[in-house]
């Protein structure tokens, strides 16, 4: 019987998806900070990337 270790990264962990972020602090104008970022999981942690530009439909 051979024991093979489980893979550390799954296939879905390489996929980026859009995520809406709501920060629990207020902006200068008094509104709550809301934005969109790219997000993926590396098997242990969530990794976030800033979106530089996107269409108006998001």
């Amino acid at each position: 019987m051979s024991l093979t270790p489980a893979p550390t990264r799954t296939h879905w962990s390489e996929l980026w998806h859009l995520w809406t972020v709501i920060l629990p602090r207020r902006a200068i104008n008094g509104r709550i900070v809301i934005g969109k970022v790219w997000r993926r999981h590396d098997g242990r942690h969530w990794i976030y990337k800033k979106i530089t530009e996107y269409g108006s439909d998001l």
Side-chain angles (χ1 to χ4, degrees):
M1 178 160 103
S2 104
L3 298 175
T4 59
T8 56
R9 292 183 69 181
T10 59
H11 179 63
W12 60 266
S13 70
E14 298 175 5
L15 299 176
W16 290 91
H17 59 277
L18 282 176
W19 192 256
T20 301
V21 177
I22 301 172
L23 299 176
R25 65 179 70 139
R26 300 211 178 252
I28 294 171
N29 60 4
R31 296 183 180 175
I32 293 179
V33 178
I34 299 174
K36 292 205 180 263
V37 294
W38 288 112
R39 179 175 108 146
R40 77 174 173 95
H41 198 268
D42 69 351
R44 285 188 160 187
H45 305 100
W46 286 104
I47 300 172
Y48 295 90
K49 259 173 119 171
K50 179 180 174 182
I51 296 177
T52 54
E53 64 180 79
Y54 54 86
S56 61
D57 59 335
L58 296 179

